[in-house]
Amino acid sequence: MTARHRAARTLAIFIVVTASAILAGATAEFPEATLTSSRIKARLYVPDADAGYYRATRFDWAGVISDLKWRDHSYFGVWFPRHDPKINDAITGPVEEFTKGLGYDEAKPGERFVRIGVGAVVRPQEASYRQFNTYDIADSGTRSMTKGADWIEFTHTLGNTSGYAYAYTKRVRVSGDTLILEHRLKNTGQKPIETSVYQHNFFILDSQPTGPDTVVRFTFAPTAVAALAGLAETRGREVRYLQELGPRQTVLTELKGYGATARDYDIRVENHKTRAGVRQTSDRPLSKLMLWSPRTTVCPEAYIDLAIAPGKETSWRITYEFYEVK
């Protein structure tokens, strides 16, 4: 090795180490918690209106999983190029988004509507709801948190906002090979709550790019609504990627073919190079299914519908089972 090559290598190592140190220092700035089971170690960012990792208005703030290790495999991490707490998707998964906003259509500019898991936000002068916009938060509600070694529970309550109010509890726990998300949503307002919620998983299996080693599997034969542009295809009960996606290439489509029972809420994402696999199931049926995959993450987005009358409560569970592909 020449002196020039040694110098270049030393510089490269310095850059990597320095970047890692900067990232570690930045990570330490945000409030977080750790959960452990016999085979899982997970790190979560906890909600904080002043110092939290995520302070935008698209996703529920509770239970943002920044890192999860199962045996020798990793499943989540930073997939985006730049972090800013107010960017709508500068977040790591799995996280939930409740669609649209309660009371948005009735709200006039300057009035409030509700984002479940976020609080009461202000409608600006605009023609229609913007999913990726970060709205001004007028009332963050009240949050509490309790924790054990293998579980953490977040409660978020919001008082009356144009007739809408709720108490929302999310418990995240790990047990053996599984991650379990348990939710309860009580309608404490005067108006019915009618919404959908989906998991935006942001899977990053062993830091691998989306490509031919990546497989998304279902219990049914999916049909892609949008053209996959030669980047992926459906094969029987699977979606297969035909090439490694480039920095500006994305697969985005709605998938059809599932039935009306919770049996079809059964999704597997696997990387056949590293053999990392994860199976996602629920006790609720699918109401919609999307697949979004840039180069850095694979995201099946499974929706369920919620309809809660005033004074009533509903619950749902999402389970992730981690395994090795045989």
Side-chain angles (χ1 to χ4, degrees):
M1 181 181 291
T2 67
R4 180 180 178 184
H5 288 160
R6 282 196 297 271
R9 184 181 178 210
T10 300
L11 178 60
I13 293 172
F14 172 78
I15 291 171
V16 170
V17 171
T18 302
S20 298
I22 292 171
L23 179 59
T27 300
E29 295 177 1
F30 303 106
E32 62 178 37
T34 300
L35 306 180
T36 57
S37 73
S38 58
R39 287 181 287 278
I40 293 174
K41 182 174 182 180
R43 289 174 48 237
L44 298 87
Y45 292 121
V46 301
D48 189 302
D50 298 315
Y53 184 84
Y54 186 75
R55 284 168 268 161
T57 56
R58 180 180 175 188
F59 294 105
D60 170 21
W61 288 11
V64 178
I65 297 178
S66 60
D67 179 62
L68 185 145
K69 299 289 194 305
W70 172 80
R71 296 175 63 176
D72 296 327
H73 300 287
S74 62
Y75 287 87
F76 306 107
V78 175
W79 60 273
F80 44 84
R82 182 174 70 91
H83 175 255
D84 180 324
K86 296 298 183 71
I87 293 177
N88 81 91
D89 58 359
I91 195 168
T92 56
V95 288
E96 287 100 346
E97 178 182 4
F98 291 83
T99 55
K100 204 173 180 180
L102 302 177
Y104 177 88
D105 291 335
E106 298 80 21
K108 297 181 176 62
E111 295 182 342
R112 301 178 182 185
F113 65 100
V114 172
R115 298 293 292 127
I116 296 174
V118 177
V121 302
V122 179
R123 177 172 179 171
Q125 183 71 49
E126 60 182 4
S128 60
Y129 178 73
R130 290 175 291 159
Q131 179 185 11
F132 305 137
N133 184 56
T134 296
Y135 291 92
D136 291 336
I137 300 174
D139 183 358
S140 295
T142 302
R143 295 185 184 272
S144 62
M145 181 179 73
T146 54
K147 185 185 181 305
D150 59 0
W151 62 273
I152 188 167
E153 184 171 286
F154 305 94
T155 298
H156 185 217
T157 60
L158 182 68
N160 180 51
T161 302
S162 302
Y164 294 102
Y166 66 80
Y168 172 48
T169 299
K170 178 178 179 180
R171 174 177 281 237
V172 182
R173 61 186 178 92
V174 292
S175 176
D177 299 317
T178 60
L179 165 72
I180 304 103
L181 309 182
E182 298 167 310
H183 312 75
R184 297 194 313 274
L185 181 59
K186 183 174 182 179
N187 185 347
T188 59
Q190 294 82 47
K191 294 181 179 179
I193 292 176
E194 296 181 355
T195 187
S196 297
V197 61
Y198 71 93
Q199 300 298 124
H200 209 321
N201 291 300
F202 297 117
F203 288 124
I204 307 176
L205 273 58
D206 291 328
S207 302
Q208 296 298 301
T210 305
D213 294 317
T214 308
V215 181
V216 186
R217 298 169 53 199
F218 305 92
T219 58
F220 57 91
T223 301
V225 174
L228 301 181
L231 301 176
E233 66 180 12
T234 57
R235 296 183 192 171
R237 297 184 177 184
E238 299 177 343
V239 173
R240 291 266 182 167
Y241 295 86
L242 303 179
Q243 64 183 67
E244 186 174 302
L245 300 188
R248 297 185 179 182
Q249 291 179 313
T250 300
V251 170
L252 173 62
T253 185
E254 183 176 357
L255 296 174
K256 297 287 192 179
Y258 52 85
T261 70
R263 178 183 179 277
D264 282 344
Y265 194 130
D266 190 333
I267 304 164
R268 295 175 183 256
V269 179
E270 299 174 346
N271 186 282
H272 287 196
K273 177 181 178 181
T274 70
R275 299 174 59 203
V278 55
R279 180 188 184 192
Q280 176 184 345
T281 57
S282 178
D283 58 356
R284 292 291 194 99
L286 291 163
S287 62
K288 183 179 178 180
L289 180 60
M290 300 291 296
L291 178 64
W292 177 71
S293 305
R295 175 181 173 82
T296 53
T297 182
V298 178
C299 306
E301 302 171 8
Y303 289 69
I304 64 172
D305 287 340
L306 302 175
I308 315 167
K312 300 298 183 179
E313 179 179 295
T314 194
S315 63
W316 67 101
R317 174 187 292 190
I318 312 292
T319 299
Y320 298 85
E321 179 186 357
F322 304 100
Y323 62 93
E324 270 198 349
V325 179
K326 296 180 180 180

